[in-house]
Amino acid sequence: MDGTGIPLRAEELVGRSGKQPDGSAKTGEAKLCTIWSAESLDAEGTPIRDEGSVSYSAALESAWVADIAAERSPFAQRVGREALRRRFEQALHQVVLGDGAPWIWNIAEDQFPEAVQIVDRFHAKQHLSELG
């Protein structure tokens, strides 16, 4: 799971709060989840992604929801639907890969409590570099 800002037209940004000094936005937040399987291992024991097994689901939407909300965020709902469609709960080993953002781990813990949570290599290096 991940999210990133993508440029939007001015008319799509009206009323949207953002990170600019005046509180305006230049981008919209796109959220993505991808699910794939790896049934075999290479000679070193590293899982090999199964050819043709990748599915992607993305949209301009928020992952935020109040702690007391009765429903999950639109993004979390979409992640759950894709995981159900792909039978994620039947996997022998479940892993959620993310950039270390709390919102990703919150969704993972809520929907996939048995999954191992792993920070992706790029962001792990980035976090270690910042720490150093």
Side-chain angles (χ1 to χ4, degrees), residues 22-111:
D22 65 357
S24 65
K26 288 186 175 181
T27 63
E29 182 76 5
K31 300 287 193 226
L32 166 76
C33 81
T34 181
I35 298 176
W36 51 272
S37 60
E39 297 293 331
S40 58
L41 305 174
D42 66 13
E44 286 82 38
T46 302
I48 301 171
R49 184 171 34 206
D50 299 330
E51 188 172 333
S53 73
V54 181
S55 64
Y56 300 94
S57 185
L60 281 171
E61 64 191 0
S62 177
W64 183 88
V65 67
D67 289 341
I68 59 170
E71 293 187 359
R72 293 176 171 141
S73 71
F75 176 70
Q77 290 178 40
R78 193 161 40 79
V79 168
R81 285 190 304 271
E82 184 63 11
L84 181 64
R85 186 183 78 76
R86 292 295 306 275
R87 298 189 299 259
F88 184 77
E89 75 283 353
Q90 295 177 12
L92 293 177
H93 303 285
Q94 301 171 0
V95 174
V96 173
L97 187 65
D99 63 7
W103 67 267
I104 292 175
W105 302 145
N106 289 340
I107 291 172
E109 183 63 33
D110 176 51
Q111 296 195 56

